[in-house]
Amino acid sequence: MNLEDIARFSGVSRSTVSRVINNDPHVSDKTRENVLKIIAEHNYAPNIAARALVTKRTHVIGIYISNVIGDLFSDPYFSTLLQAIVTRANEQDFDVMLWLKGQETSIEHFHQRILDNRMTDGLVLSSTSRYDTLPQALLQRNRTFVLNGRPWCDEEHMNYVDATNQHGAQQAVEHLARMGHKRIATITGRLDLISGYDRLIGYRQAIEHLELPFEDSLVIEGDFTEISGYIGMRKLISEKPDAVFIASDHMAIGALRAIRESGLQVPDDIALVGFDDMSFATMTSPQLTTVRQPVQRQGILATEGLIGLLEGSITPPYQVSLPTQLVIRESCGFPA
Amino acid sequence: MNLEDIARFSGVSRSTVSRVINNDPHVSDKTRENVLKIIAEHNYAPNIAARALVTKRTHVIGIYISNVIGDLFSDPYFSTLLQAIVTRANEQDFDVMLWLKGQETSIEHFHQRILDNRMTDGLVLSSTSRYDTLPQALLQRNRTFVLNGRPWCDEEHMNYVDATNQHGAQQAVEHLARMGHKRIATITGRLDLISGYDRLIGYRQAIEHLELPFEDSLVIEGDFTEISGYIGMRKLISEKPDAVFIASDHMAIGALRAIRESGLQVPDDIALVGFDDMSFATMTSPQLTTVRQPVQRQGILATEGLIGLLEGSITPPYQVSLPTQLVIRESCGFPA
DNA sequence: ATAAGGCTTGGGAGCGCTCCCAAAAGAACA
DNA sequence: TGTTCTTTTGGGAGCGCTCCCAAGCCTTAT
């Protein structure tokens, strides 16, 4: 069943059917109606490949997530992001192709797969490592893409949607200081991801600004996983910090567990602030004080930006930075 | 840059280049080598649309997940499944297209989108509701697909990968009985999903078989979300059950919270068994006794099955049922 | 009645591939 | 040397669309 068949059945030419399908106004109402009826009767849908061959557009965007650690992205951050992207793309009549890079996949092979795949009009890249060469390779080949998180380099030319991670981290640390905490430690995220890096920078800036003691032993490197939060906190306990800024809620869950196991109390013995404001942050006891970042909004804006770029309604660079917001709950302590 | 260009550069014909790209043995080693060099030099990749137009194959499979509730699939079940599918598909040289049905999306519109999209060779459908007409529509149009979870109807003709949910639920309840519990309640999953339904059936069969009292008030309908586990358990507490079989670990987390808030102890006051064996089941206190289902394996087999079906190496129906396994930890109590 | 103008419609060309058949080149044998 | 067979190569046709130009039709004005 193709255009020609539909044309024959409805007694018009291939061109007219094409016009009807593409909503071209140059068709009489009578003809349009008739053709639409025939199309519906036969469940006809145009052959996407043939269309793509001539238009050089597929109406498909790709999502590349490279941070997939361990048993997969158990961190609901990615689920939320993914859902936002897929939903928004569908609303704008785009379909979505998905690539997940696990640890085991060979990166060259994987990149080649994405670079060679010409089935997508554009890409959203999420949580690209500082060492990931994909953005550069795509740039070099003139492919349209939007980064989730600001780029490590070439900032002026890249399209991205970011959150104010530095500022969020600062707010968190400042709030802990305001609550009377002096010895404030941090468990970082992956430092090869811009979000992890920026949150550490924010921590440092706040410490410096507040003229609090900065000690290397108060900075523990995590990798955003729950288990790394647990391990990080176990290391940290012997350092006896008053408070800890943890670069993700997911890690904060692990940290809470470590604290509970050691018999200490949150926030009395150790105060905690997380980052992300994931849905489970209100389900812990005590409830988690955290820095909210608009994950869903990031996904939506990345998608809208990409599609706008593709359709020419947005001229590059498309650069967005979304605000973060401190959400005060119980884990940070109460004013004395 | 197309086949013809590469042909010109390497001094051979379009056909020969095509043969090289498709690994046709009827090319001399010298020619092949030369052509490959030119291809690499120009970063040439064949135009997928043109190829698909003639072969009628895209090497793309689609995944349709319809269970997306609320703030997205916060249940890591889907993340795990998705990752397994994507990884396996990529290994077999297929790309993956993703559709997520949220509550808000109009189902007709969504189905049309999937039915019309001829860009995928086949589909994996996960957690399709009993009321979802997509499987029938796909069947009617002769599209190849594999269900994750056995179908609600037309079982003989459908391809599916399932887990032994009934048996798993039975084991869970039997174990609770063995631990000395008499008044065993359940919080069900969504009963329009086959997994939720089968787990309830398994519960009932066990109760009947063990000749324990069956009371309607001991069966609370949940929907697999954490919050429904919380709400369900709050309702259940007044019924004073000895033990509860909860149809997912995610709901069990909510139930644990409800029990803790009411000042009761697990397993002393109420024993609990979950389902899924998600990674967080060992992080709760007490650790969760649960029924393990091989989610990853399900994703892998669904993908392999679909691809096998597409390539003709498997003849339909492709029907797999994977075993579940009781994992005994702390929440179910200890032998008296 | 004729010309001029706007709508609507039809059909050729071409997108970049694969597939098939036929031609060319090389190998092997008498 | 010619003949036959095998291996390697070339080129036409066609997949199902869109895009463009030209032709046909219907108005409306002169």
Side-chain angles (χ1 to χ4, degrees):
Chain A
M1 186 62 51
N2 59 25
L3 265 193
E4 207 84 47
D5 294 328
I6 298 295
R8 196 151 6 87
F9 289 136
S10 40
V12 296
S13 74
R14 176 169 39 89
S15 304
T16 301
V17 179
S18 173
R19 286 189 190 96
V20 170
I21 287 171
N22 294 291
N23 272 315
D24 186 312
H26 301 287
V27 184
S28 72
D29 291 350
K30 217 183 82 211
T31 311
R32 158 164 290 123
E33 204 171 313
N34 184 35
V35 171
L36 284 175
K37 204 186 75 202
I38 304 281
I39 288 176
E41 269 170 22
H42 292 79
N43 272 330
Y44 167 76
N47 181 316
I48 307 284
R51 176 182 283 167
L53 181 57
V54 28
T55 61
K56 280 137 180 33
R57 290 242 161 274
T58 57
H59 259 244
V60 176
I61 62 170
I63 304 178
Y64 168 75
I65 301 180
S66 61
N67 184 32
V68 178
I69 294 192
D71 74 333
L72 180 45
F73 46 120
S74 50
D75 192 330
Y77 175 87
F78 292 109
S79 307
T80 308
L81 186 73
L82 195 55
Q83 169 143 8
I85 293 174
V86 170
T87 305
R88 193 73 192 96
N90 283 348
E91 280 167 10
Q92 301 211 36
D93 204 31
F94 273 73
D95 288 312
V96 173
M97 198 161 268
L98 178 63
W99 288 283
L100 303 174
K101 201 195 90 52
Q103 289 178 298
E104 56 304 332
T105 6
S106 134
I107 192 148
E108 293 80 20
H109 193 258
F110 204 73
H111 280 184
Q112 209 53 50
R113 171 155 215 106
I114 293 169
L115 289 168
D116 284 354
N117 184 296
R118 310 300 330 253
M119 203 170 270
T120 54
D121 292 341
L123 291 170
V124 174
L125 310 191
S126 183
S127 79
T128 36
S129 157
R130 136 178 245 164
Y131 308 109
D132 194 332
T133 55
L134 189 60
Q136 291 295 337
L138 289 168
L139 206 60
Q140 195 190 320
R141 289 169 200 221
N142 272 314
R143 304 274 284 269
T144 307
F145 64 100
V146 173
L147 293 169
N148 178 39
R150 69 185 181 89
W152 284 97
C153 55
D154 224 348
E155 187 145 349
E156 346 44 301
H157 299 111
M158 297 272 202
N159 306 303
Y160 64 85
V161 174
D162 200 12
T164 57
N165 285 304
Q166 287 190 23
H167 182 241
Q170 277 179 36
Q171 284 182 296
V173 174
E174 282 164 10
H175 182 72
L176 285 169
R178 217 177 299 131
M179 292 294 102
H181 305 296
K182 294 264 180 282
R183 202 171 156 73
I184 303 176
T186 188
I187 300 176
T188 76
R190 267 176 60 183
L191 297 178
D192 64 323
L193 301 182
I194 200 73
S195 52
Y197 178 82
D198 277 352
R199 289 172 202 174
L200 174 58
I201 298 292
Y203 163 84
R204 287 213 169 125
Q205 284 174 341
I207 294 290
E208 195 170 324
H209 190 248
L210 295 163
E211 297 176 4
L212 292 175
F214 177 77
E215 291 175 31
D216 274 344
S217 60
L218 292 180
V219 177
I220 302 283
E221 191 173 334
D223 63 7
F224 284 130
T225 63
E226 201 266 351
I227 187 72
S228 81
Y230 176 80
I231 295 170
M233 185 53 85
R234 286 186 66 134
K235 285 191 206 151
L236 218 40
I237 281 171
S238 59
E239 297 291 330
K240 301 199 183 304
D242 303 338
V244 186
F245 164 61
I246 303 174
S248 82
D249 288 352
H250 205 224
M251 289 197 294
I253 297 286
L256 269 174
R257 194 156 53 92
I259 295 173
R260 194 183 306 130
E261 281 179 16
S262 74
L264 296 172
Q265 293 287 324
V266 175
D268 301 337
D269 301 314
I270 300 184
L272 248 44
V273 179
F275 207 111
D276 284 343
D277 194 25
M278 296 275 94
S279 59
F280 53 75
T282 56
M283 297 176 184
T284 53
S285 69
Q287 293 190 3
L288 218 52
T289 293
T290 186
V291 180
R292 176 177 301 161
Q293 66 163 333
V295 182
Q296 207 153 319
R297 193 107 196 92
Q298 282 177 67
I300 292 172
L301 287 181
T303 310
E304 283 179 358
L306 178 59
I307 293 176
L309 249 16
L310 289 170
E311 296 186 335
S313 61
I314 293 176
T315 48
Y318 174 74
Q319 305 183 332
V320 176
S321 192
L322 295 170
T324 52
Q325 182 197 350
L326 184 69
V327 180
I328 298 169
R329 298 206 180 92
E330 300 166 352
S331 67
C332 57
F334 305 93
Chain B
M1 186 64 48
N2 60 23
L3 265 194
E4 207 85 47
D5 294 328
I6 298 295
R8 197 154 0 91
F9 289 136
S10 40
V12 295
S13 75
R14 176 169 40 86
S15 305
T16 301
V17 178
S18 174
R19 286 188 190 96
V20 170
I21 288 171
N22 295 292
N23 271 316
D24 187 312
H26 301 286
V27 184
S28 73
D29 292 350
K30 217 183 83 211
T31 310
R32 158 164 290 122
E33 204 172 312
N34 183 34
V35 170
L36 284 175
K37 205 186 76 201
I38 303 280
I39 288 175
E41 269 171 19
H42 292 79
N43 272 330
Y44 167 76
N47 181 317
I48 308 284
R51 174 182 284 169
L53 181 57
V54 31
T55 61
K56 280 140 181 33
R57 289 242 161 273
T58 56
H59 259 242
V60 176
I61 62 171
I63 304 177
Y64 167 75
I65 301 179
S66 60
N67 183 31
V68 178
I69 295 193
D71 74 335
L72 180 45
F73 45 121
S74 50
D75 192 329
Y77 175 87
F78 293 109
S79 307
T80 308
L81 185 73
L82 196 55
Q83 168 143 11
I85 294 174
V86 171
T87 305
R88 192 75 193 94
N90 283 347
E91 280 167 10
Q92 301 212 35
D93 204 32
F94 273 73
D95 288 312
V96 174
M97 198 161 269
L98 179 63
W99 288 284
L100 303 174
K101 199 195 91 51
Q103 290 179 298
E104 55 305 330
T105 6
S106 136
I107 192 146
E108 293 80 19
H109 193 259
F110 204 72
H111 280 184
Q112 210 51 52
R113 168 155 219 107
I114 293 169
L115 289 168
D116 285 354
N117 184 296
R118 309 302 327 253
M119 203 171 271
T120 53
D121 292 342
L123 291 170
V124 174
L125 311 191
S126 184
S127 79
T128 36
S129 158
R130 138 178 243 162
Y131 308 110
D132 195 331
T133 55
L134 189 59
Q136 290 296 337
L138 288 168
L139 207 59
Q140 197 190 320
R141 289 168 201 223
N142 273 314
R143 303 275 284 269
T144 307
F145 64 100
V146 174
L147 293 169
N148 179 40
R150 69 186 182 88
W152 283 97
C153 56
D154 226 348
E155 187 146 348
E156 358 28 316
H157 299 110
M158 297 274 202
N159 306 302
Y160 62 85
V161 174
D162 200 13
T164 57
N165 285 305
Q166 287 188 25
H167 182 241
Q170 277 179 36
Q171 283 182 296
V173 174
E174 282 165 9
H175 182 72
L176 285 169
R178 217 176 298 129
M179 293 294 102
H181 304 297
K182 294 264 178 281
R183 203 172 154 73
I184 303 176
T186 188
I187 299 176
T188 76
R190 267 177 59 184
L191 297 177
D192 64 323
L193 300 182
I194 200 72
S195 53
Y197 178 81
D198 277 351
R199 289 172 202 174
L200 174 58
I201 299 293
Y203 162 84
R204 285 212 168 125
Q205 285 174 341
I207 293 290
E208 196 170 325
H209 190 248
L210 295 163
E211 298 177 5
L212 292 174
F214 176 78
E215 291 175 31
D216 275 344
S217 60
L218 291 181
V219 176
I220 301 282
E221 191 172 335
D223 63 7
F224 285 129
T225 62
E226 202 265 352
I227 187 73
S228 81
Y230 176 80
I231 294 170
M233 186 53 86
R234 286 187 66 135
K235 285 190 206 152
L236 220 39
I237 281 172
S238 59
E239 298 292 329
K240 299 199 183 306
D242 303 337
V244 186
F245 164 61
I246 302 174
S248 83
D249 289 353
H250 205 224
M251 289 196 294
I253 298 286
L256 269 174
R257 194 156 53 92
I259 295 173
R260 193 183 306 131
E261 282 179 15
S262 75
L264 296 172
Q265 292 288 324
V266 175
D268 301 340
D269 301 315
I270 301 183
L272 248 44
V273 179
F275 207 111
D276 284 344
D277 195 25
M278 296 276 95
S279 59
F280 53 76
T282 56
M283 296 175 186
T284 53
S285 69
Q287 293 189 2
L288 218 52
T289 292
T290 186
V291 180
R292 177 178 300 161
Q293 65 163 334
V295 183
Q296 207 153 321
R297 192 108 197 91
Q298 282 176 67
I300 291 173
L301 288 181
T303 310
E304 284 179 358
L306 178 59
I307 293 176
L309 250 15
L310 290 171
E311 296 185 335
S313 61
I314 294 175
T315 48
Y318 173 75
Q319 305 183 333
V320 177
S321 191
L322 295 170
T324 50
Q325 182 197 350
L326 184 69
V327 180
I328 298 169
R329 297 207 180 91
E330 300 166 354
S331 67
C332 56
F334 305 93

